[in-house]
Amino acid sequence: MGVVPGLPVAQARGVLPAGSVRIETHTPERDAVRLRALAVWARRFSPLVQTDGVDGLWLDITGCAHLFGGEAGMREAVETGLARLGMRCRVAIADTHGCAWAVARYRDDPIVPPGEQRAAIAPLPIAALSVDEPTVAALAELAIDRVEHLLQIPRSVLPSRFGHELLLALDRALGHAIEPLNPVRPVAPCRSERAFDGYTTNVEAIGLAVRELLGDVCAQLHGRGRGARRLVVELGRYELATLPTTITTSVPTNDAKHLWVLARPKLERAHLGFGVERVAITATRDALIVQRQGEQWGEREDTSKAGVAELIDVLAGRLGPSSVRGAVLSESHLPERAFEWITPMAKRQGVDIRPPGERPTTLLDPPVPTTALALTPDGPVHRIHWRGEDRTVIACAGPERIGSEWWRGNGSTRDYFRVRCEDGCCLWVARARENGRWYVHGVWA
Amino acid sequence: MAAEPEAGAVAKPIGLPLAVMAGVVGSLVGSDPGPGRVLWMGRRCWPYPPSLVGRGGDRRLLERSVFVDPPTRDERLWAMDVALRSSAALVVVADGAGLTMAGSRRLQLAAEAGGTVGLLARPHNERGELSAAATRWLVSPGPVDGADPARPTWTVELLRRKGLRPIAEDARRWAVRLDDGTRLVSVDAHVSNRPAATTGPGRWSAQRSG
């Protein structure tokens, strides 16, 4: 598309089709987290992976390449794997990290045969040695642009002029100096497991084991300062597949008692088969528990906030997560789009949306077509047909004109009236502007 | 404490008295700064969410509302029982159609245990059913409000209160409407701008829940 890093926003807007530009601030710390996650992913190629700078991964593939059919096959496997994740990459394979770094960034032929790093980096620019900007500039003043120029200079003069870093970088690229690798270690999920002495169908014994395991997992989570969002309770059954039961919570928790309340009804319904031999609990998803210092007067509030989450978990655990909801206003004038369902503990957005005018307590979806009588085309309603009978309107307020957003294109506009009938029922009546049809869209019940 | 507003009218029965219940809940939420939630149980009992935001822009009622949809009557009774016993609930509003005497006793005990207010809406044809609720109310369309004739109004009538002798016919009936903050006020309150809490059902529920 022609958009490259460093391009001003205005030019990017000019190059790309209208509406496809989304601007977000750069967050290096989030990049670092994602790169670390990618490093954990890359452990499928080699057990030793390290994040390298802000945009690279360093894999020690000693003894791994043959599993992928040699170095060329490995390179292809990495490239296709990343492409599946929607990322493009440059892969280089060499004897040393420094050489691979340089080749990945400054040369097109990616694989350096063993022992040939000197020949590989010689034609590359000085920047390929991963040295800082001032050193590159200082060398450029001396017309030393390429690594091969540097290699011709006696080693002894380099440190006094350019510092030890340059020589170290050169040595590391050539394999004369050691460069230690500090591999990422993925955090294993908190897990606890127990085996029974033989098979049992005793629900109470299984329940007791689950409670103890929950306590154990919660203690592990507590030690990490985290709380479970999702737990899997696995029952190892005799001659049957392992039965996993999932418990989800609306906020991270490490309260074993609460988790037991959620787990118990599921276990009671579990099919135990001929007996259970083994119980294991894994916290498959956890999140940081934000610890807040208790206020001298406000501590009560914090504990009952936890109570809200527990109540919602208990309800959602039995009725299903979509049966327990919260609602927020959304940015639309159309009554049917004026709110959105959210999960009850979700962070509330849209707090600055202007509240609508008077709205009925029940919105009919879809609006009920009806017939009404108005004396003038835009005037108040006089009679309306509703629930099988014609009703005389004793008061009518409006119209409130509500149109759909212009970007939706269909441009339907409705005039809404608040109508009170003779028998006291209050309706929210709409007239479609384009065809003059009447609808009852809501009721004040 | 469980109160039971009954849908019903002198002329025609209306649907669930959602507006009156929202008004009672709005009054309770307005006087309670804690995090306690309002639970609307049963899809028929879900008010249109934007109607919970007062014209004054007060979102507390909407923000503290949780909409629960139990699929069956038994599940609904269970969910109400759990919610009424929980200190995390401030008010539980539910569709009480088809509730048995045993069920209502269970809910009344749960409400007393949790110190939570429960509001049950029952259809007009169940008016004769027995109930253990502390109070029962009849909701019907109210008189025309002189200030805004198109504005919905309701008449709420106290039918029964446990442990209290019957009170005079005209002293137990109030004409109410919703104010800009989704609270229940009496119809003539616009004159003095005085909330109807001194006599209205809002205070009733709040007082009994302790």
Side-chain angles (χ1 to χ4, degrees):
Chain A
M1 280 298 210
V3 177
V4 291
L7 193 75
V9 171
Q11 284 183 27
R13 279 188 203 278
V15 173
L16 293 167
S20 67
V21 184
R22 203 174 114 184
I23 296 160
E24 294 210 5
T25 41
H26 177 227
T27 46
E29 60 279 9
R30 274 173 65 189
D31 286 357
V33 168
R34 301 304 297 168
L35 187 63
R36 214 191 115 78
L38 200 62
V40 172
W41 171 86
R43 280 165 47 90
R44 66 194 58 196
F45 301 111
S46 152
L48 300 174
V49 184
Q50 187 189 348
T51 61
D52 186 13
V54 295
D55 59 352
L57 291 180
W58 172 18
L59 284 73
D60 183 349
I61 59 162
T62 312
C64 301
H66 73 277
L67 298 171
F68 298 88
E71 288 178 350
M74 177 139 201
R75 168 179 164 253
E76 216 175 286
V78 171
E79 275 175 353
T80 46
L82 281 168
R84 253 180 229 144
L85 297 178
M87 278 179 258
R88 281 187 303 169
C89 64
R90 288 178 67 96
V91 183
I93 297 174
D95 278 3
T96 64
H97 168 234
C99 182
W101 195 96
V103 169
R105 285 162 177 82
Y106 292 94
R107 202 178 91 164
D108 284 331
D109 180 19
I111 296 175
V112 181
E116 294 192 12
Q117 50 270 31
R118 193 180 187 94
I121 62 169
L124 302 181
I126 296 291
L129 286 177
S130 174
V131 288
D132 53 4
E133 204 68 37
T135 313
V136 176
L139 286 165
E141 277 176 20
L142 303 174
I144 301 173
D145 297 327
R146 295 180 181 282
V147 179
E148 55 192 337
H149 303 147
L150 202 59
L151 291 172
Q152 288 161 10
I153 300 172
R155 283 175 61 85
S156 53
V157 305
L158 283 176
S160 59
R161 293 286 300 268
F162 305 105
H164 284 283
E165 289 302 315
L166 180 63
L167 200 58
L168 192 64
L170 194 60
D171 282 348
R172 281 182 168 168
L174 296 173
H176 299 321
I178 296 166
E179 194 163 0
L181 187 147
N182 180 19
V184 290
R185 289 186 183 83
V187 187
C190 294
R191 183 183 166 88
S192 192
E193 192 173 346
R194 182 152 307 177
F196 292 116
D197 187 13
Y199 296 97
T200 177
T201 50
N202 184 343
V203 179
E204 277 174 30
I206 295 166
L208 192 69
V210 168
R211 266 158 86 178
E212 282 181 11
L213 293 177
L214 280 174
D216 192 22
V217 168
C218 286
Q220 290 179 32
L221 286 166
H222 183 71
R224 297 181 188 179
R226 299 179 79 83
R229 284 299 307 275
R230 191 190 297 135
L231 284 174
V232 177
V233 181
E234 285 168 71
L235 300 178
R237 300 176 296 177
Y238 177 70
E239 288 207 338
L240 283 172
T242 304
L243 181 73
T245 308
T246 310
I247 313 167
T248 43
T249 62
S250 55
V251 290
T253 178
N254 51 29
D255 179 2
K257 223 161 109 191
H258 173 50
L259 291 170
W260 170 239
V261 168
L262 299 179
R264 191 169 62 179
K266 297 202 170 181
L267 288 177
E268 280 168 357
R269 272 179 289 185
H271 175 54
L272 301 179
F274 298 107
V276 172
E277 186 196 34
R278 191 180 57 81
V279 182
I281 296 182
T282 318
T284 50
R285 219 177 114 200
D286 55 18
L288 204 66
I289 289 188
V290 182
Q291 305 282 356
R292 221 179 292 154
Q293 198 166 0
E295 284 169 40
Q296 200 166 6
W297 307 104
E299 264 169 321
R300 205 187 108 252
E301 194 176 321
D302 237 9
T303 53
S304 56
K305 200 170 235 168
V308 171
E310 282 172 18
L311 174 64
I312 285 166
D313 287 345
V314 169
L315 291 172
R318 175 146 163 190
L319 306 174
S322 67
S323 295
V324 183
R325 310 174 181 182
V328 283
L329 293 188
S330 61
E331 220 153 351
S332 175
H333 295 300
L334 287 185
E336 56 271 33
R337 292 206 200 103
F339 73 98
E340 275 170 82
W341 296 117
I342 55 170
T343 57
M345 297 306 283
K347 221 170 161 188
R348 282 168 193 274
Q349 311 269 321
V351 278
D352 50 343
I353 296 171
R354 208 168 54 86
E358 297 224 5
R359 290 290 177 265
T361 53
T362 305
L363 193 76
L364 303 173
D365 183 29
V368 180
T370 185
T371 52
L373 182 72
L375 291 187
T376 54
D378 287 332
V381 190
H382 275 265
R383 288 185 72 77
I384 186 153
H385 189 79
W386 174 239
R387 295 249 161 105
E389 46 186 282
D390 274 323
R391 291 150 196 259
T392 308
V393 171
I394 54 168
C396 177
E400 179 187 353
R401 184 160 294 177
I402 300 177
S404 65
E405 296 85 353
W406 57 266
W407 58 88
R408 293 200 192 270
N410 55 1
S412 78
T413 313
R414 306 166 216 161
D415 282 342
Y416 279 87
F417 297 90
R418 289 186 292 121
V419 158
R420 189 182 167 111
C421 303
E422 207 172 22
D423 60 354
C425 76
C426 294
L427 307 173
W428 204 37
V429 181
R431 193 173 67 93
R433 298 240 331 137
E434 60 268 22
N435 53 19
R437 292 214 180 102
W438 290 92
Y439 298 91
V440 176
H441 203 174
V443 183
W444 277 270
Chain B
M1 186 216 66
E4 274 191 18
E6 286 187 42
V10 185
K12 289 271 173 213
I14 52 178
L16 293 185
L18 284 175
V20 170
M21 294 199 291
V24 173
V25 171
S27 309
L28 287 170
V29 167
S31 60
D32 180 298
R37 297 300 165 112
V38 178
L39 290 102
W40 306 88
M41 298 267 181
R43 201 173 275 264
R44 259 160 43 88
C45 204
W46 288 2
Y48 174 51
S51 75
L52 296 177
V53 178
R55 294 196 66 184
D58 184 356
R59 281 154 215 275
R60 281 179 296 175
L61 179 52
L62 181 63
E63 281 172 4
R64 286 165 68 179
S65 286
V66 177
F67 302 85
V68 186
D69 182 26
T72 63
R73 195 180 291 175
D74 288 347
E75 298 275 20
R76 196 165 68 214
L77 193 62
W78 169 83
M80 286 193 69
D81 188 76
V82 167
L84 283 170
R85 281 177 197 282
S86 163
S87 59
L90 180 69
V91 196
V92 180
V93 186
D95 173 8
L99 190 72
T100 59
M101 177 64 188
S104 77
R105 185 179 295 278
R106 175 179 167 187
L107 294 181
Q108 177 66 28
L109 288 172
E112 283 169 13
T116 310
V117 177
L119 292 172
L120 277 173
R122 305 192 67 170
H124 190 238
N125 56 11
E126 288 181 19
R127 200 181 150 177
E129 297 285 323
L130 285 174
S131 164
T135 57
R136 296 187 85 171
W137 303 82
L138 181 70
V139 178
S140 47
V144 175
D145 185 352
D148 177 3
R151 174 190 286 161
T153 59
W154 295 270
T155 305
V156 291
E157 184 185 345
L158 177 59
L159 290 178
R160 201 178 72 91
R161 183 189 162 189
K162 218 158 57 177
L164 195 81
R165 59 192 163 78
I167 43 177
E169 184 95 2
D170 53 342
R172 61 181 201 205
R173 200 178 272 174
W174 296 270
V176 293
R177 65 173 178 88
L178 294 184
D179 72 353
D180 286 353
T182 334
R183 284 178 303 255
L184 220 51
V185 292
S186 63
V187 166
D188 57 354
H190 67 270
V191 181
S192 60
N193 208 12
R194 170 178 57 89
T198 44
T199 53
R203 179 172 174 247
W204 251 98
S205 314
Q207 212 177 33
R208 285 302 301 273
S209 68

